[in-house]
């Protein structure tokens, strides 16, 4: 995304990195398609802010700088608002623009006078236009804003349709597991191994914004650090448009392993195999269920609920650490999950709460053949405290039949028992 500010090496600066001294760079710039100046913060200017923000979101994004004279580019610091500047701008946009546009705000305090400063509003190109400000769809026209024409409105709606299609296409992405098909070697991962997939699509990014090699190296280092902090080995494999981080060497056949696929725009896919019971462990589980009057059909896969949860949440914690390390907001992601080859698998636990539950109500199993969830957009205001670890763990079990959200005391006791990873 465009930034009018550059670091000492000429690289664009993100909003959190801009300093007061960087404002001097604006003297060489004019207002235009992605940049607008306002010399004051008067009521008339505040009335225009929603229109300006919406026009940037409907176009290619841009920056609004409040406290710079348009003609001379001289600093004209505005009084420091009693209310937080970002809250003021945010409230203006929430009240006057629909849907909520993607933007961020900072107030740079004048080092010589902490009672004044300059306001910066960075607006990203919107993923789902048109953004309507007080009933009007505004777009950028040179250095100003104006109402969109009929053809421009059609293109804005087409952009939304394409974006939805991109998200849906991303959620069909599959990581290849060596040895998963066409083999009968002892101990090798069999065809139909149950997999939990978590898709995290980074919104606001464009394929034309291909990262540099240095940026990709930074992504790689941050992901490796996430694995390391969780005490997990990582083995990196280069794909045509991504990096795949596996928890075992990719050609060590017969070892179930988790994988994270990382894309240049920092979209991510997490794939975690369930932990199936085999041999004596499976025999004990079948016998316990039989003692409870429950029969498991021959050939049915039985999955260790607690070990699978630990695996899912541990790997999802790597994503949490990566996002924190990179300084990314979870609100910039769309998220969905999928259960591959998991239809009919039986969840198993030797916990007394589980055994008591299944005697009365039957075993828990994945009762759907279509295991892909709907897409959630994390900027909807309902996911302010989102964590990949919590989302992955709870939704994996929910899709497998765990009665999350039930108020039945027996359901609550079962959920508490299986979601606990303390044992």
């Amino acid at each position: 995304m465009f930034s009018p500010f550059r670091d000492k090496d000429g690289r664009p600066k993100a909003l959190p990195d801009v300093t007061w001294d960087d404002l001097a760079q604006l003297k060489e710039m004019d207002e235009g398609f992605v940049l607008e100046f306002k010399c004051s913060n008067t009521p008339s200017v505040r009335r225009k802010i929603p229109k300006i923000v919406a026009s940037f979101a409907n176009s290619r994004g841009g920056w609004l700088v409040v406290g710079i004279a348009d003609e001379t580019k001289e600093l004209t610091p505005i009084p420091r608002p009693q209310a937080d500047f970002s809250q003021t701008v945010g409230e203006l946009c929430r009240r006057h623009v629909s849907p909520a546009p993607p933007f961020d705000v900072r107030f740079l305090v004048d080092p010589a006078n902490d009672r004044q400063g300059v306001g910066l509003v960075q607006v990203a190109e919107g993923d789902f236009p048109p953004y309507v400000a007080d009933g009007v769809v505004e777009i950028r026209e040179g250095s100003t804003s104006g109402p969109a024409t009929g053809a421009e409105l059609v293109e804005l709606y087409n952009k939304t349709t394409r974006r939805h299609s991109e998200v849906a296409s991303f959620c069909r992405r599959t990581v290849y597991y060596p040895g998963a098909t066409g083999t009968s070697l002892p101990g090798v991962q069999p065809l139909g191994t149950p997999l939990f997939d978590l898709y995290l699509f980074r919104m606001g990014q464009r394929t034309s914004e291909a990262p540099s090699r240095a940026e990709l190296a930074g992504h790689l280092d941050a992901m490796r650090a996430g694995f390391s902090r969780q005490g997990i080995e990582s083995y990196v494999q280069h794909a045509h448009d991504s990096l795949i981080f596996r928890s075992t060497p990719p050609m060590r056949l017969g070892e179930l392993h988790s994988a994270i696929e990382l894309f240049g725009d920092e979209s991510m896919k997490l794939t975690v195999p369930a932990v199936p019971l085999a041999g004596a462990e499976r025999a004990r589980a079948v016998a316990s269920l039989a003692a409870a009057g429950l029969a498991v059909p021959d050939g049915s896969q039985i999955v260790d609920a607690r070990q699978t949860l630990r695996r899912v949440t541990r790997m999802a914690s790597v994503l949490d650490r990566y996002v924190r390390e990179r300084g990314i907001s979870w609100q910039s992601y769309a998220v969905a999950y999928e259960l591959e080859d998991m239809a009919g698998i039986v969840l198993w636990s030797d916990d007394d709460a589980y055994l008591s539950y299944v005697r009365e109500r039957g075993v828990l199993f994945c009762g759907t053949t279509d295991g892909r969830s709907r897409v959630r957009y994390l900027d909807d205001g309902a996911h302010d405290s989102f964590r990949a670890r919590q989302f992955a763990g709870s939704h994996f079990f929910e899709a497998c039949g765990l009665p999350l959200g039930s108020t039945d005391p027996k359901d609550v006791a079962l959920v508490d028992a299986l979601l606990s990873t303390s044992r």
Side-chain angles (χ1 to χ4, degrees), residues 212-226:
S212 66
R213 289 185 180 274
E215 289 172 323
L216 288 175
H219 300 174
L220 188 149
D221 289 343
M223 186 62 78
R224 277 179 165 161

Side-chain angles (χ1 to χ4, degrees), residues 373-387:
S373 76
R374 67 179 178 86
V375 176
R376 292 169 170 83
Y377 297 94
L378 301 185
D379 62 354
D380 61 3
H383 295 89
D384 292 339
S385 59
F386 179 86
R387 292 291 183 275

Side-chain angles (χ1 to χ4, degrees), residues 114 130 197 223 230 283 380 411:
D114 63 6
D197 300 325
M223 186 62 78
Q230 286 299 116
D380 61 3
D411 288 345

Side-chain angles (χ1 to χ4, degrees), residues 395-416:
H395 285 84
F396 165 75
F397 267 153
E398 183 177 48
C400 291
L402 194 66
L404 294 177
S406 171
T407 57
D408 184 311
K410 293 183 179 180
D411 288 345
V412 172
L414 177 68
V415 169
D416 289 342

Side-chain angles (χ1 to χ4, degrees), residues 222-264:
M223 186 62 78
R224 277 179 165 161
F227 272 83
S228 177
R229 291 193 182 103
Q230 286 299 116
I232 306 172
E233 295 289 337
S234 62
Y235 300 86
V236 183
Q237 179 182 5
H238 291 257
H240 76 284
D241 62 348
S242 66
L243 296 173
I244 301 175
F245 296 78
R246 301 182 187 267
S247 59
T248 68
M251 292 309 293
R252 187 183 292 168
L253 299 181
E255 289 192 13
L256 293 176
H257 63 275
S258 303
I260 293 175
E261 188 172 15
L262 176 65
F263 298 82

Side-chain angles (χ1 to χ4, degrees), residues 125-358:
E125 179 180 353
D127 288 287
F128 301 112
Y131 297 89
V132 184
D134 291 326
V136 180
V137 178
E138 301 273 353
I139 62 172
R140 295 298 291 179
E141 297 177 343
S143 60
T144 61
S145 304
T149 65
E152 289 163 339
L153 282 172
V154 171
E155 177 54 32
L156 289 174
Y157 282 110
N158 286 341
K159 182 189 291 186
T160 291
T161 300
R162 290 194 298 269
R163 202 54 163 163
H164 280 298
S165 178
E166 289 176 4
V167 176
S169 177
F170 178 77
C171 292
R172 291 190 290 269
R173 182 84 179 197
T174 299
V175 173
Y176 171 68
Y177 278 78
T181 60
T183 179
S184 58
L185 296 174
V188 171
Q189 176 179 298
L191 176 64
T193 294
L195 300 173
F196 174 76
D197 300 325
L198 180 63
Y199 300 94
L200 295 157
F201 184 87
R202 183 89 184 272
M203 308 299 292
Q205 306 297 299
R206 295 295 180 267
T207 55
S208 60
E209 300 173 0
S212 66
R213 289 185 180 274
E215 289 172 323
L216 288 175
H219 300 174
L220 188 149
D221 289 343
M223 186 62 78
R224 277 179 165 161
F227 272 83
S228 177
R229 291 193 182 103
Q230 286 299 116
I232 306 172
E233 295 289 337
S234 62
Y235 300 86
V236 183
Q237 179 182 5
H238 291 257
H240 76 284
D241 62 348
S242 66
L243 296 173
I244 301 175
F245 296 78
R246 301 182 187 267
S247 59
T248 68
M251 292 309 293
R252 187 183 292 168
L253 299 181
E255 289 192 13
L256 293 176
H257 63 275
S258 303
I260 293 175
E261 188 172 15
L262 176 65
F263 298 82
D265 65 358
E266 296 183 273
S267 294
M268 297 176 285
K269 178 190 176 182
L270 169 65
T271 302
V272 182
V275 181
L277 298 183
E281 289 184 337
R282 187 180 191 282
R284 282 196 296 271
V286 170
S288 293
L289 292 173
L294 299 167
V296 178
D298 291 340
S300 296
Q301 293 209 57
I302 304 176
V303 167
D304 187 313
R306 192 178 300 278
Q307 291 301 322
T308 300
L309 174 66
R310 285 176 176 169
R311 178 179 284 179
V312 168
T313 56
R314 191 179 181 200
M315 288 299 301
S317 293
V318 175
L319 302 180
D320 287 324
R321 291 186 178 276
Y322 177 83
V323 167
R324 192 180 310 124
E325 178 78 15
R326 294 285 302 154
I328 303 171
S329 168
W330 275 123
Q331 277 59 53
S332 65
Y333 282 94
V335 60
Y337 66 84
E338 181 179 14
L339 304 175
E340 292 188 62
D341 296 316
M342 207 171 280
I345 68 157
V346 175
L347 285 181
W348 163 257
S349 173
D350 59 2
D351 191 284
D352 290 340
Y354 175 84
L355 295 173
S356 175
Y357 187 93
V358 300

